[in-house]
């Protein structure tokens, strides 16, 4: 049997037959030329499907019946419950139509407060009326576009819906008559209610959640990448505490790395654009005077300082597996027999776009209390007791 003969036998369109096949309800055999060949068995199955569809039973339920995943009695009973609910809704509307026809001569004479009150009281007593809510094409387009925007995806507007502005979706579009009225829009599903509404809302919620997570991840990664790019271009220095294996490797390159007190954040990792400028300053008459300056061309690496002003101060640079040392002898006798009169001033990441204090060597507790209250970049701006030393650092660029 060819499809045109099947159309005539069933009384439905070719689109409806194809739809049932697409849904996996019927799988007709094919000829050697790959044409569908409908037999009596397929025709009878189509007839059963059409009977159940005419009764309002959904395609998923029919598919379950065909695959023996559901009992006919259960499916029919559920459908009857749904039809009775619709019947109550229709009966209440018919009754109200009769009242309106008897009391209101024309549209202008309708008393809306009276009938709204009657409708709400009837609903409280268990009667049901049709919902007055409509989904406008513009609202639908806006929702879809916003979800797409959250996911970073540009979604064009639906021109067919847009032509109707804020009007409800036209009946021919809502019914999808070209497909034999078998395809429901999301609006139809949400309006009809029942299990399909629950599944539709759950699916929409899951989709929105997925798109939101996708958007957060996408924009988060993009933002992190952009931020990292900017951060990599900035000159900065940060205290580090190498683990045992890392420290052992540093000691192999520069044995004096073993002398660094890591508990006091004495080792730093730096990143610059033009290299480092290290300066040793001495406080005299309430101001700072440069004693020693060294410009280091390395743009990134590890830095630590050993020694003190009583003899010499040594700057250690480790970069690309190699170590360098730069020292200055101060031989300041005022620091003889003074232990632990120094501390690192940078305790977290700091920019190097301006001169910043890295280490401070103080003369006594009073000097320590005075200068310890200021940020590394502010110490050089303050009056300090004579005899203090400061190691400063800055990007050469």
């Amino acid at each position: 049997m060819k499809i045109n003969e099947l159309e005539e036998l069933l009384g439905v369109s070719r689109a409806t037959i194809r739809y049932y096949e697409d849904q996996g309800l019927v799988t007709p055999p094919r000829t050697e030329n790959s044409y569908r060949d409908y037999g009596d068995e397929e025709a009878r199955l189509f007839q059963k499907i059409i009977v159940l569809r005419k009764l309002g039973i959904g395609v998923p339920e029919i598919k379950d019946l065909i695959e023996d995943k559901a009992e006919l009695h259960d499916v029919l009973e559920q459908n009857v419950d749904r039809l009775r609910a619709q019947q109550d809704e229709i009966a209440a509307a018919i009754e109200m139509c009769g009242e309106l026809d008897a009391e209101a001569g024309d549209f202008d004479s309708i008393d809306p407060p009276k009938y709204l009150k009657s409708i709400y009281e009837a609903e409280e007593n268990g009667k049901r009326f049709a919902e007055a809510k409509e989904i406008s094409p513009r609202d639908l387009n806006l929702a879809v576009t916003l979800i797409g925007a959250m996911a970073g995806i540009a979604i064009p507007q639906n021109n067919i819906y847009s032509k109707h502005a804020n009007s409800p979706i036209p009946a021919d579009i809502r019914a999808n008559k070209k497909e034999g009225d078998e395809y429901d829009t999301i609006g139809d599903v949400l309006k009809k209610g029942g299990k399909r509404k629950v599944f539709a809302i759950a699916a929409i919620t899951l989709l929105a959640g997925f798109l939101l997570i996708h958007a957060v991840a996408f924009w988060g990664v993009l933002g992190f990448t952009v931020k990292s790019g900017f951060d990599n271009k900035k000159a900065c220095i940060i205290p580090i505490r190498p683990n045992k294996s890392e420290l052992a490797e540093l000691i192999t390159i520069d044995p004096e790395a073993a002398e660094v007190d890591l508990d006091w954040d004495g080792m730093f990792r730096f990143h610059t654009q033009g290299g480092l400028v290290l300066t040793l300053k001495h406080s005299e008459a309430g101001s700072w005077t440069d004693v020693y300056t060294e410009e280091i061309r390395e743009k990134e690496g590890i830095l630590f300082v050993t020694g003190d002003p009583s003899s010499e101060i040594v700057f250690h640079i480790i970069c690309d597996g190699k170590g360098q040392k730069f020292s200055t002898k101060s031989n300041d006798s005022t620091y003889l027999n003074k232990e632990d009169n120094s501390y690192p001033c940078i305790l977290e990441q700091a920019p190097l776009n301006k001169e910043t204090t890295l280490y401070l060597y103080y003369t006594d507790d009073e000097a320590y209390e005075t200068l310890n209250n200021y940020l590394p970049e502010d110490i050089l701006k303050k009056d300090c007791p004579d005899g203090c030393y400061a190691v400063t650092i800055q990007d050469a660029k």
Side-chain angles (χ1 to χ4, degrees), residues 12-56:
V12 296
S13 67
R14 181 173 305 195
T16 299
I17 295 173
R18 290 282 187 262
Y19 171 76
Y20 293 145
E21 293 176 7
D22 292 341
Q23 295 301 308
L25 301 182
V26 182
T27 305
R30 293 180 180 268
T31 64
E32 294 180 357
N33 296 327
S34 297
Y35 291 110
R36 293 175 175 85
D37 184 16
Y38 300 97
D40 293 339
E41 183 179 349
E42 286 76 35
R44 184 171 178 79
L45 180 54
F46 272 117
Q47 290 173 330
K48 291 180 182 179
I49 293 170
I50 293 170
V51 168
L52 295 178
R53 288 295 292 129
K54 291 291 185 180
L55 296 177

Side-chain angles (χ1 to χ4, degrees), residues 61 82 185-207:
E61 289 79 9
R82 183 181 60 81
T185 64
I186 292 178
D188 292 330
V189 173
L190 296 178
K191 185 174 180 180
K192 291 178 181 177
K195 291 183 178 180
R196 296 178 67 196
K197 178 177 180 179
V198 175
F199 290 139
I201 293 174
I204 293 171
T205 303
L206 289 174
L207 176 61

Side-chain angles (χ1 to χ4, degrees), residues 138-153:
R138 184 167 295 175
D139 291 340
L140 180 61
N141 279 338
L142 178 61
V144 173
T145 303
L146 288 177
I147 292 175
M150 290 170 59
I153 303 171

Side-chain angles (χ1 to χ4, degrees), residues 225-396:
T225 303
V226 172
K227 182 180 184 299
S228 298
F230 281 111
D231 288 344
N232 287 335
K233 293 182 180 180
K234 293 180 180 179
C236 64
I237 187 168
I238 183 172
I240 61 171
R241 294 186 181 184
N243 57 38
K244 290 182 179 181
S245 60
E246 292 171 337
L247 183 59
E249 184 178 350
L250 294 175
I251 292 174
T252 301
I253 300 171
D254 187 338
E256 292 183 75
E259 301 176 14
V260 178
D261 187 354
L262 297 179
D263 291 335
W264 284 90
D265 296 320
M267 192 172 288
F268 303 86
R269 188 183 303 278
F270 65 88
H271 174 86
T272 69
Q273 293 180 308
L276 284 179
V277 176
L278 292 167
T279 304
L280 178 64
K281 296 177 178 290
H282 183 239
S283 61
E284 298 178 8
S287 61
W288 293 98
T289 302
D290 292 353
V291 176
Y292 169 84
T293 299
E294 184 71 48
E295 184 171 336
I296 302 169
R297 295 184 179 181
E298 303 294 349
K299 292 187 176 182
E300 56 185 13
I302 293 175
L303 164 68
F304 61 92
V305 180
T306 60
D308 62 64
S310 65
S311 55
E312 68 175 351
I313 294 176
V314 183
F315 305 110
H316 300 258
I317 304 292
I318 298 178
C319 179
D320 296 331
K322 299 179 181 179
Q324 303 178 60
K325 297 181 183 180
F326 305 90
S327 62
T328 174
K329 294 183 180 294
S330 52
N331 295 322
D332 189 338
S333 59
T334 62
Y335 270 81
L336 292 176
N337 300 321
K338 290 183 181 289
E339 297 181 357
D340 299 328
N341 280 16
S342 68
Y343 70 93
C345 300
I346 296 176
L347 303 180
E348 57 184 19
Q349 181 173 316
L352 294 178
N353 57 342
K354 55 185 176 181
E355 192 173 21
T356 300
T357 307
L358 180 66
Y359 278 96
L360 182 67
Y361 301 86
Y362 53 92
T363 54
D364 51 35
D365 291 340
E366 181 180 352
Y368 171 78
E369 293 295 337
T370 300
L371 298 176
N372 187 44
N373 293 326
Y374 297 104
L375 296 174
E377 61 269 24
D378 294 331
I379 291 176
L380 303 177
K381 302 175 185 178
K382 302 300 177 181
D383 294 339
C384 63
D386 290 348
C388 293
Y389 287 84
V391 173
T392 66
I393 185 171
Q394 187 176 14
D395 188 349

